[in-house]
């Protein structure tokens, strides 16, 4: 401890900029880690909170996926003796259309029973106190209750009229109650409104169906027993769950996103480790005289090692705390983005304005930061302990600290590479595949110094040809002090490899989605009750199909109903459409199965069609039987065909509409797919549809182009994480290079002085620093682009088998590489500006003096 | 050739040091001047100021008719690379470059064509007798050879002024004598103006002119009292000098 104060503190004070650079590695890692995690968690947490607050004192919830169920179910449930109270619920999220207000969660409830489950704490308005009588609320189907925050923000008082676009056209609602803040009214960020459940059925076009039944038990009734009893009573098509289980669906649906985000954040920390390693390694080389003196004065090796590890703990702690603050700032910026992304892609809208700073995560991040820092310092601390006092005290003599280490490292790398290759043989066991990936990266890391040296050697003639003195010296700087650069190069390599892998994955996915959109998504118009196709809260009545068909210019109308239901416990997209209709417009051959056969079986309701990603993610093959829970009982249908369909991340199942209507007793429609009659103009037909339904129906007409653009935009946003990765890569490049150069100019001070003394102009001195930066950048680029090629292979497999279920072609993302090339070199050059200036500013006389 | 008019150099720091105080000195073309004085008397500072490595706090320095004060950093460098060759005590060779490459640096920095550089480097290495060692790295050379290489580098464009700060300070007596003989030889053959800082009183006295510094002032400026025949070996009794 005393050593830390006596020895380290003066060094830190003297080399403050450099020490801050060390910390920057940790700051970067921890910030990205905390930022992504916090943003993600905030969204998840907000969802859980909403579920929790809406649940009130509900003990069990009954649902049937997203499809809803008949009103009669309520009677059966209420008849169960252990049930104290059971109430129907419709829950929907609507876009308010008000700028800055975002979405509004609407809860349709039966006021009479609901108050024993949920606490509607109303502000006494004085004027319109009749709301306290639930029967009044019921009697007026245009009643609406809002939270006080929502009322305040939108300047709504009791009695105010609010227009709302419903399935029966534009309607005016009257605010008949304002809920005090806290509890229920803080659900969904306060953007909550309550209406009568039967009014909600009309507003959302639900027919005589409920989304859910919330219930509480009589005192003394056992929760598990009642649950089992209800399950047998209702059949397999229903889920009977505690409220928190519903929140877990959100986790399951956003799993892939969370996973990707986590990989990125952990990677950031990993890369930060190399920056720290680099700075510590350098510090040891530079402080060898000091270490030598300490050793000569009687310090043991262990004390020296402890000194350096102690420094790394302090640096780690300091950096982690800074990173934490930066991470929270990042999270603030990202939370809204992630929330809307998840909302749009999965149709599970969530409002997360506030970020939830989880103390456990914060502590974990700090601990992780410190551990990373210490791990990064282990090797440098060992080298420090190995410094030979005699050699260290001889002026100008450099002790080769790494002799022998190199050979051992190369051998280890070779063995690891062989093991990685061996793992590929057992690829079908997932664990081997992941271990193989990790080993491949490890081998690449171990070989980095060797490759960096070889590349620097290869670059020397080129640099020499460019600038005989400045270029040669720049290359020699890399060759002479591999320690100075290897960490920076490794960090750059890793982050560029990730950029290439993620970029390649993005491009491949994008290409296949684009291809699918172009070929398979061929309706001319889509008529939807919401602006976004992933929003399924509003539904059209079936009768609208005939009305549409009657509009001139419309050739064909397909009725589609999609909803998420639980298959093998996983929320899966279930699509019902007239298979015979689809058959007529099918353009893509199936991935597996016979075209004629599969359409025939499916249209007869004897089989389902599965999307390729459903099959891959859930391990289904052609002919396998899928158990599909419906409110009328379990369906066992074989997969007659596997088709390309990217409409849902988790995969989808397609059945005939007749079958769906029969088993789900649901004739509503989410989307009408429209094919124009020959010669009809798209714009004309679109206008005619809008004119026909005018304001008697809430509807949106989207053109094929709109939908394509929308899907591609979602895909873009989904891969937004790639941009975070590129930003990290650029930061790593800057940090690593600034770091390396800062040390380089100190180490080369004398050399640069000589250069000036024998006639080198300022620009020539700057030139050698710039060239050194470019050399580091080039080496990092070459290694990164190469490792990226390998990493892309792994990423594609992971994506295909474990994440997205997309089988993608391996194609190296040359455009990304071509962008990175000048990009990283430019960044390298920019990073060199400040160090180069420092190099030409110093006193020549001092530079030329011997150490 | 070299004119100093009441030149002073003050180092400002925690404690202010006056390294040179009102120094007046005039050196003609082709002179060989030794500079002596106890450690810390300002010898190196004087050389650094003349060589444009550092700037005077006050006073005027003129090299070959050009005033140094008011020159920008790059102008100073240009003047230096055309007019002045430096020889350092610690050679200051670049360790990763071969002997020939080290000698070529100043020529490359001037942007000479490759062919001309090669010719000149060979010529210089011949001149200092280092041709056989051309491809060697500094580490593979003896101290004397390193200093020869450094001298060749200093001579690269045959500058009119050679500044040597204790060129033999890091060499054994015999090698030191050889290096001095070489410098003297070059001085005679090339006619350059040579300023040499030395602690070796024999060397100092054998120069035509001797300038002695003490506490940043010129204490003595007179002719050398020794003649030399064999390099580095005085003809007269050294005792005479006292
Ligand atoms: N960069 C500097 N900063 C402060 N003082 C200096 C610096 N360089 C030299 N000095 C001081 O100037 C005086 C003259 O130094 P110098 O010319 O190196 O002496 P000499 O070469 O004769 O031994 C000394 O007292 C020395 O401490
Ligand atoms: Mg000196």
């Amino acid at each position: 401890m005393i050593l830390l104060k006596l020895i380290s503190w003066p060094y830190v004070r003297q080399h403050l900029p450099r020490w801050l650079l060390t910390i920057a590695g940790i700051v970067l890692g921890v910030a990205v880690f905390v930022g992504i995690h916090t943003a993600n968690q905030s969204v998840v947490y907000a969802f859980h909170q909403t579920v929790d607050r809406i649940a009130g004192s509900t003990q069990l919830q009954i649902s049937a996926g997203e499809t809803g169920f008949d009103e009669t179910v309520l009677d059966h449930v209420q008849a169960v003796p252990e049930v104290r109270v059971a109430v129907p619920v419709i829950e929907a999220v609507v876009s308010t259309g008000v700028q800055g207000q975002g979405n509004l969660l609407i809860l349709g409830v039966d006021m009479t029973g609901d108050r024993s489950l949920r606490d509607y704490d109303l502000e006494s308005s004085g004027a319109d106190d009749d709301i306290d009588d639930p029967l009044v609320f019921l009697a007026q189907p245009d009643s609406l209750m809002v939270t006080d925050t929502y009322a305040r923000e939108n300047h709504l008082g009791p009695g105010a009229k609010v227009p709302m676009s419903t399935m029966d056209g534009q309607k005016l609602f009257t605010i008949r109650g304002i809920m005090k803040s806290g509890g229920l009214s803080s659900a969904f960020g306060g953007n909550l409104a309550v209406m009568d459940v039967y009014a909600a059925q009309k507003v959302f076009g639900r027919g005589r169906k409920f989304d859910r039944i919330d219930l509480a038990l009589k005192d003394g009734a056992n929760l598990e027993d009642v649950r089992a009893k209800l399950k047998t009573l209702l059949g397999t098509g229903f889920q009977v769950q505690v409220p928190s289980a519903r929140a877990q669906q959100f986790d399951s649906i956003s799993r892939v996103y969370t996973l990707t985000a986590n990989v990125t954040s952990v990677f950031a920390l990993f890369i930060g480790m190399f920056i720290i390693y680099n700075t510590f390694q350098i510090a040891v080389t530079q402080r060898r005289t000091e270490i030598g003196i300490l050793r000569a004065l009687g310090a043991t090796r262990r004390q020296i090692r402890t000194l350096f590890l102690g420094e790394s703990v302090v640096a780690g702690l300091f950096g982690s705390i800074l990173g934490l603050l930066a991470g929270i700032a990042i999270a603030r910026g990202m939370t809204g983005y992630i929330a809307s992304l998840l909302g749009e892609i999965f149709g599970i809208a969530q409002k997360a304005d506030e970020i939830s700073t989880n103390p456990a995560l914060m502590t974990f991040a700090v601990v992780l930061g410190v551990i990373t820092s210490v791990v990064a310092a282990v090797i440098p601390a060992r080298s420090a302990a190995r410094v030979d006092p005699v050699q260290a005290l001889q002026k100008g003599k450099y002790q080769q600290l790494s002799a022998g280490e190199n050979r051992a490292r190369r051998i280890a790398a070779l063995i690891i590479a062989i093991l990685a290759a061996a793992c590929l043989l057992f690829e079908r066991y997932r664990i081997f595949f992941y271990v193989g990936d990790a080993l491949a990266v490890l081998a690449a890391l171990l070989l980095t110094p060797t490759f960096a040296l070889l590349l620097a050697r290869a670059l020397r003639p080129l640099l020499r040809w460019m600038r005989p003195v400045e270029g040669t010296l720049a290359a020699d700087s890399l060759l002479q002090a591999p320690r100075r650069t290897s960490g920076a190069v490794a960090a750059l390599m890793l982050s560029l490899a990730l950029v290439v892998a993620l970029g390649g994955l993005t491009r491949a996915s994008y290409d296949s989605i684009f291809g699918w959109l172009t070929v398979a998504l061929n309706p001319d118009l889509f008529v939807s009750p919401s602006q976004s196709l992933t929003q399924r809260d509003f539904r059209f009545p079936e009768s609208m199909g005939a009305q549409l068909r009657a509009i001139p210019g419309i050739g064909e109308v397909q009725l589609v109903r999609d909803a998420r239901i639980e298959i093998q416990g996983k929320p899966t997209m279930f699509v019902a459409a007239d298979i015979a209709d689809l058959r007529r417009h099918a353009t893509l051959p199936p991935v597996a199965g016979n075209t004629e056969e599969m359409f025939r079986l499916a249209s007869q309701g004897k089989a389902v069609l599965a999307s390729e990603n459903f099959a891959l993610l859930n391990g289904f093959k052609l002919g396998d039987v899928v158990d599909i829970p419906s409110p009328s009982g379990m369906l066992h249908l074989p997969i007659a065909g596997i088709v390309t369909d990217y409409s849902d991340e988790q995969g989808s199942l397609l059945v005939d509409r007749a079958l769906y209507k029969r088993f789900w007793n649901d004739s509503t429609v989410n989307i009408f797919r429209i094919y124009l009659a020959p010669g009809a103009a798209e714009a004309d037909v679109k206008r005619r549809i809008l004119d026909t339904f005018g304001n008697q129906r809430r509807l949106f007409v989207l053109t094929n182009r709109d939908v394509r653009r929308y899907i591609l935009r979602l895909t873009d946003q989904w891969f937004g994480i790639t941009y975070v990765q590129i930003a990290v890569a650029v930061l790593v490049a800057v940090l690593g290079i600034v770091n390396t150069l800062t040390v380089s100019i100190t180490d080369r001070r004398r050399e640069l002085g000589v250069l000036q003394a024998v006639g080198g102009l300022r620009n020539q001195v700057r030139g050698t620093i710039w060239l050194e930066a470019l050399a580091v950048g080039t080496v990092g680029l070459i290694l990164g682009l190469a490792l990226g090629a390998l990493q892309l292979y792994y990423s594609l497999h992971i994506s295909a088998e474990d994440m997205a279920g997309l089988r993608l072609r391996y194609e190296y993302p040359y455009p990304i590489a071509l962008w990175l090339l000048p990009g990283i070199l430019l960044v390298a050059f920019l990073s060199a500006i400040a160090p180069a200036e420092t190099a030409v500013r110093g006193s020549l006389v001092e530079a030329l003096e011997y150490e | 050739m070299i004119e100093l008019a009441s030149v002073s150099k003050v180092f400002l720091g925690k404690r202010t040091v006056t390294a040179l105080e009102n120094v007046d000195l005039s050196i003609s073309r082709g002179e060989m001047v030794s500079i002596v004085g106890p450690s810390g008397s300002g010898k190196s500072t004087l050389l650094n100021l003349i060589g444009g490595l550092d700037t005077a706090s006050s006073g005027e320095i003129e090299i070959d008719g050009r005033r140094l004060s008011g020159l920008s950093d790059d102008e100073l460098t240009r003047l230096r690379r055309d007019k002045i060759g430096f020889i350092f005590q610690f050679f200051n060779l670049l360790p990763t470059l071969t002997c020939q490459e080290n000698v070529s640096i100043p020529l490359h920095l001037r942007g000479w064509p490759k062919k001309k550089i090669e010719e000149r480097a060979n010529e210089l290495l011949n001149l200092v007798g280092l041709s056989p060692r051309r491809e060697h790295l500094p580490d593979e050379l003896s101290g004397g050879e390193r200093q020869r290489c450094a001298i060749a580098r200093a001579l690269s464009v045959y500058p009119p002024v050679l500044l040597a700060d204790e060129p033999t300070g890091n060499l054994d007596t015999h090698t030191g004598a050889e290096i001095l003989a070489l410098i003297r030889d070059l001085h005679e053959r090339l006619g350059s103006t040579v300023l040499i800082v030395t602690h070796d009183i024999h060397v100092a006295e054998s120069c035509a002119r001797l300038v002695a510094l003490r506490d940043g002032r010129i204490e003595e400026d007179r002719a050398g009292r020794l003649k030399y025949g064999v390099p580095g070996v005085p003809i007269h009794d050294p005792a005479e000098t006292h």
Side-chain angles (χ1 to χ4, degrees):
Chain A
M1 213 53 216
I2 189 75
L3 275 185
L4 262 183
K5 193 172 160 220
L6 276 180
I7 309 295
S8 309
W9 175 235
Y11 177 82
V12 167
R13 240 182 0 197
Q14 210 182 338
H15 300 269
L16 196 61
R18 186 176 323 146
W19 200 73
L20 288 176
L21 279 178
T22 315
I23 291 192
I26 311 172
V27 174
L28 175 72
V30 172
V32 175
F33 180 81
V34 170
I36 291 182
H37 265 274
T38 306
N40 224 18
Q41 279 203 348
S42 302
V43 178
V44 172
Y45 179 75
F47 189 82
H48 282 231
Q49 274 239 309
T50 296
V51 165
D52 192 47
R53 288 186 171 145
I54 287 179
S57 55
T58 300
Q59 287 174 286
L60 284 174
Q61 293 182 326
I62 297 168
S63 58
E66 282 178 358
T67 59
F69 46 80
D70 292 336
E71 284 176 357
T72 48
V73 176
L74 184 60
D75 302 331
H76 298 313
V77 174
Q78 281 171 337
V80 174
E82 291 91 339
V83 172
R84 176 169 63 83
V85 53
V87 294
V89 178
I90 284 182
E91 200 180 303
V93 174
V94 300
S95 161
T96 53
V98 180
Q99 189 67 38
Q101 274 304 327
N103 294 331
L104 181 65
L105 179 85
I106 295 185
L107 207 58
V109 298
D110 181 353
M111 257 303 173
T112 31
D114 219 82
R115 292 158 64 106
S116 56
L117 281 187
R118 278 172 270 269
D119 185 17
Y120 297 93
D121 192 6
L122 294 181
E123 279 178 1
S124 52
S125 54
D128 205 353
D129 253 354
D130 50 0
I131 183 63
D132 272 337
D133 183 355
L135 290 173
V136 175
F137 191 82
L138 252 180
Q140 294 166 300
D142 65 336
S143 293
L144 205 59
M145 263 198 291
V146 293
T147 64
D148 64 344
T149 28
Y150 192 78
R152 211 170 333 107
E153 279 170 17
N154 295 284
H155 311 290
L156 300 172
K161 304 266 190 245
V162 185
M164 205 190 305
S165 159
T166 77
M167 287 326 294
D168 295 334
Q170 190 86 0
K171 287 269 149 67
L172 272 184
F173 283 79
T174 307
I175 307 275
R176 294 231 161 73
I178 292 175
M179 292 178 274
K180 280 188 196 151
S181 44
L184 177 65
S185 70
S186 53
F188 207 67
N191 277 13
L192 178 83
V194 179
M195 67 166 70
D196 179 61
V197 70
Y198 300 101
Q201 283 180 337
K202 289 213 175 56
V203 168
F204 298 106
R206 298 296 173 88
R208 309 215 47 141
K209 282 178 176 282
F210 299 134
D211 277 355
R212 212 167 69 215
I213 292 171
D214 284 6
L215 59 91
L217 308 182
K218 287 197 177 124
D219 285 343
N222 180 291
L223 189 79
E224 269 315 305
D225 292 347
V226 180
R227 203 177 107 137
K229 190 170 175 183
L230 283 167
K231 280 195 102 150
T232 20
L233 174 76
L234 298 169
T236 41
F238 290 83
Q239 287 94 48
V240 182
Q241 295 165 319
V242 292
S244 59
R246 204 160 71 87
Q248 275 151 23
Q249 282 201 3
F250 182 90
D251 303 0
S252 148
I253 290 172
S254 60
R255 181 188 66 103
V256 175
Y257 188 84
T258 312
L259 206 66
T260 319
N262 286 358
V263 168
T264 305
S265 65
V266 169
F267 215 82
L269 209 57
F270 192 55
I271 290 169
M273 188 159 93
F274 283 88
I275 304 269
I276 308 166
Y277 164 79
N278 209 34
T279 11
F280 272 106
Q281 197 69 299
I282 290 161
V284 171
T285 319
Q286 291 205 318
R287 290 161 69 185
R288 65 196 174 281
T289 314
E290 186 188 298
I291 299 167
I293 295 172
L294 280 177
R295 293 275 285 128
L297 292 178
T300 62
R301 286 184 190 278
R302 174 189 285 274
Q303 277 171 318
I304 299 289
R305 192 166 46 225
T306 313
L307 175 69
F308 275 85
L309 290 179
E311 276 184 32
S312 74
V313 170
V314 175
L317 205 61
F318 201 74
S320 300
I321 291 168
L322 282 182
L324 208 64
L325 299 177
I328 292 172
I330 292 176
R332 269 188 214 291
M334 276 179 67
T335 304
Y337 166 80
I338 294 182
S340 73
L341 179 69
L342 293 180
E344 287 207 70
I345 294 181
F346 303 114
I348 33 176
Q350 188 46 53
K351 191 173 156 66
D353 295 333
E354 275 177 34
I355 58 158
S356 58
T357 44
N358 177 353
L361 174 76
M362 304 285 135
T363 318
F364 180 67
V366 171
V367 170
L368 208 60
V370 173
I371 289 178
T372 309
S373 175
V374 172
V375 167
V378 164
I379 297 178
R382 205 185 47 180
S383 331
R386 279 202 195 144
V387 165
D388 180 272
V390 181
Q391 282 188 35
L393 291 175
Q394 278 171 351
K395 286 220 181 327
K397 279 249 164 121
Y398 284 72
Q399 185 191 358
Q400 265 297 352
L401 288 171
S402 50
E405 214 177 80
N406 285 327
R407 232 175 83 82
R409 197 174 43 214
R410 277 199 294 272
I411 293 171
L414 199 70
I415 294 169
I416 290 171
I418 291 171
L419 283 176
C423 280
L424 281 183
L425 294 178
F426 301 96
E427 211 179 293
R428 52 185 184 284
Y429 303 107
R430 302 311 296 157
I431 181 73
F432 278 106
F433 187 76
Y434 283 94
V435 168
D437 188 5
L439 288 178
V441 171
L442 188 61
L445 281 175
L446 286 173
L447 285 175
T448 304
T450 312
F451 281 139
L453 217 59
L454 287 176
L455 282 172
R457 221 168 269 158
L459 277 176
R460 193 178 191 260
L462 179 73
L463 288 168
R464 184 200 172 104
W465 171 79
M466 283 168 67
R467 297 262 142 206
V469 178
E470 302 97 302
T472 316
L473 291 179
D476 286 343
S477 173
L478 298 198
L479 289 170
Q480 283 312 108
R483 265 163 192 256
R484 207 156 59 200
T485 38
S486 58
V489 167
L492 197 54
M493 170 182 83
L494 281 178
S495 62
L496 289 178
L498 196 64
V499 170
V500 168
L502 276 179
L505 188 61
T506 310
R507 238 173 74 86
S509 318
Y510 200 87
D511 285 352
S512 36
I513 290 174
F514 191 79
W516 168 74
L517 282 177
T518 319
V519 182
L521 192 83
N522 50 20
D524 299 304
L525 293 173
F526 296 79
V527 176
S528 152
S530 301
Q531 278 133 311
S532 117
L533 296 182
T534 45
Q535 255 265 314
R536 293 178 291 271
D537 282 323
F538 289 95
R539 270 161 233 160
F540 292 128
E542 189 173 31
S543 59
M544 239 180 93
Q547 288 173 283
L548 280 168
R549 283 198 187 97
I551 293 175
I554 290 185
E556 192 179 333
V557 177
Q558 294 181 354
L559 284 60
V560 180
R561 167 81 173 104
D562 55 5
R564 237 177 259 282
I565 61 169
E566 273 199 20
I567 306 248
Q568 292 186 349
K570 277 200 223 165
T572 304
M573 186 54 73
F574 194 59
V575 185
D578 194 330
I579 300 283
D581 285 351
L582 295 186
R583 167 76 190 98
R584 273 199 295 284
H585 296 278
T587 42
L588 284 181
V591 179
N594 173 288
T595 313
E596 289 311 319
E597 179 84 352
M598 73 181 197
F599 280 118
R600 189 177 55 79
L601 287 172
S603 64
Q604 290 166 354
K606 289 180 184 157
V608 289
L609 302 181
S611 72
E612 188 189 13
N613 52 342
F614 173 84
L616 273 174
L617 287 176
N618 298 288
F620 281 101
K621 289 188 298 295
L622 189 68
D624 287 353
V625 172
V626 193
D627 298 333
I628 305 167
S630 87
S632 325
M634 190 67 91
L635 270 70
H636 308 280
L637 292 172
I639 296 177
I642 295 178
V643 296
T644 310
D645 173 25
Y646 297 126
S647 51
D648 194 78
E649 286 275 334
Q650 321 244 250
S652 48
L653 284 177
L654 181 65
V655 294
D656 193 61
R657 186 164 160 78
L659 176 107
Y660 176 77
K661 285 197 331 199
R662 185 153 35 114
F663 283 90
W664 274 262
N665 189 25
D666 175 13
S667 64
T668 60
V669 173
N670 288 79
I671 297 168
F672 291 105
R673 293 160 50 120
I674 293 174
Y675 291 89
L676 298 182
E682 186 187 88
D684 294 341
V685 175
K686 178 173 173 174
R687 192 157 25 77
R688 258 174 251 153
I689 297 174
L690 289 172
D691 288 348
T692 307
F693 295 100
N695 37 19
Q696 31 166 316
R697 288 257 181 260
R698 172 194 161 94
L699 63 81
F700 297 85
V701 182
L702 308 170
T703 63
N704 187 295
R705 205 157 9 93
D706 291 338
V707 173
R708 260 183 226 189
R709 212 182 296 132
Y710 171 74
I711 295 180
L712 290 180
R713 188 170 58 81
L714 282 193
T715 314
D716 263 350
Q717 284 185 354
W718 172 259
F719 287 107
I721 205 92
T722 314
Y723 303 115
V724 175
Q725 197 52 50
I726 290 179
V728 171
V730 168
L731 273 176
V732 163
V734 172
L735 272 182
I737 291 171
V738 169
N739 203 332
T740 304
L741 292 183
T742 312
V743 178
S744 171
I745 57 166
T746 326
D747 285 359
R748 293 169 66 197
R749 196 151 169 233
R750 187 187 175 91
E751 174 182 313
L752 299 175
V754 172
L755 209 57
Q756 281 177 284
V758 301
L761 299 175
R762 279 174 172 228
N763 264 340
Q764 292 174 315
V765 175
R766 286 184 189 114
T768 181
I769 311 285
W770 290 336
L771 286 173
E772 185 176 353
L774 291 184
V776 173
T778 308
V779 172
L781 262 171
I782 294 176
L783 294 181
L785 295 182
L787 183 62
L790 186 66
Q791 199 50 42
L792 177 58
Y793 169 82
Y794 284 102
S795 304
L796 287 175
H797 270 262
I798 292 172
S799 158
E801 265 118 277
D802 297 330
M803 283 166 81
L806 301 183
R807 270 206 203 291
L808 301 168
R809 226 151 43 85
Y810 184 99
E811 197 185 329
Y812 194 80
Y814 289 107
I816 293 181
L818 282 179
W819 271 109
L820 284 175
L821 217 64
I824 293 294
L825 290 184
L826 181 71
V827 166
F829 173 74
L830 293 177
S831 318
I833 289 179
E837 282 319 296
T838 323
V840 293
R841 292 272 175 252
S843 150
L844 254 185
V845 177
E846 277 172 35
L848 286 169
E849 270 169 6
Y850 43 94
E851 310 196 321
Chain B
M1 185 72 206
I2 302 171
E3 301 289 339
L4 278 78
S6 58
V7 169
S8 297
K9 177 69 184 177
V10 181
F11 289 104
L12 299 168
K14 274 186 210 129
R15 87 201 148 89
T16 305
V17 180
T18 308
L20 285 182
E21 209 178 336
N22 284 324
V23 171
D24 293 295
L25 188 63
S26 174
I27 296 168
S28 324
R29 188 173 294 274
E31 264 193 288
M32 177 145 175
V33 183
S34 67
I35 298 171
V36 296
S39 173
S41 56
K43 307 183 295 290
S44 296
T45 306
L46 181 68
L47 241 58
N48 289 340
L49 289 183
I50 294 173
L53 289 179
D54 210 346
T55 48
S57 308
S58 66
E60 275 301 338
I61 305 174
E62 248 181 60
I63 308 289
D64 210 7
R66 281 202 69 183
R67 282 173 161 216
L68 296 192
S69 64
L71 291 187
S72 77
D73 199 84
D74 278 349
E75 285 168 331
L76 215 53
T77 305
R78 287 211 173 81
L79 183 86
R80 187 161 64 226
R81 76 186 187 187
D82 291 336
K83 309 247 183 245
I84 292 160
F86 273 103
I87 302 165
F88 304 96
Q89 180 180 357
F90 289 96
F91 325 132
N92 278 333
L93 295 174
L94 300 186
T96 60
L97 303 183
T98 64
C99 202
Q100 180 170 13
E101 285 170 333
N102 261 295
V103 172
S104 314
I105 297 175
L107 306 172
H108 276 302
L109 290 173
R110 281 171 178 74
W112 280 26
K114 281 233 164 71
K115 193 133 179 49
K116 231 175 121 194
I117 293 180
E118 207 168 303
E119 280 171 21
R120 173 61 66 91
N122 283 335
E123 181 183 316
L124 290 165
L125 288 171
N126 265 329
L127 200 62
V128 298
L130 218 53
S131 297
R133 295 274 185 225
R134 162 185 346 226
E135 294 302 328
H136 288 249
L137 289 174
D139 270 355
E140 300 158 357
L141 300 177
S142 72
E145 286 170 330
R146 286 185 210 178
Q147 194 59 298
R148 280 168 196 275
C149 183
I151 292 172
R153 186 179 66 186
L155 287 176
S156 56
V157 286
Y158 297 122
V161 179
L162 262 185
L163 303 176
D165 194 349
E166 302 188 36
T168 60
N170 212 25
L171 299 172
D172 62 64
T173 330
H174 180 69
T175 324
E178 269 177 33
I179 291 297
L180 277 167
L182 174 65
I183 292 176
R184 211 168 253 145
D185 182 41
L186 292 170
H187 161 68
E188 278 171 6
R189 283 207 288 174
L190 305 174
S192 13
T193 313
V194 176
L195 264 75
I196 179 166
V197 172
T198 179
H199 281 301
D200 185 334
I201 201 64
H202 299 144
V203 173
E205 290 290 1
S206 63
C207 289
R209 184 172 166 192
L210 180 152
V211 173
L213 290 179
R214 182 175 291 275
D215 296 335
R217 294 164 173 278
I218 296 187
E219 192 186 41
E220 235 185 329
D221 185 352
R222 58 172 171 81
R225 288 176 187 158
L226 291 182
K227 288 269 179 294
Y228 64 89
V230 186
V233 177
I235 296 167
H236 301 289
D237 185 357
E240 259 187 42
T241 58
H242 292 285

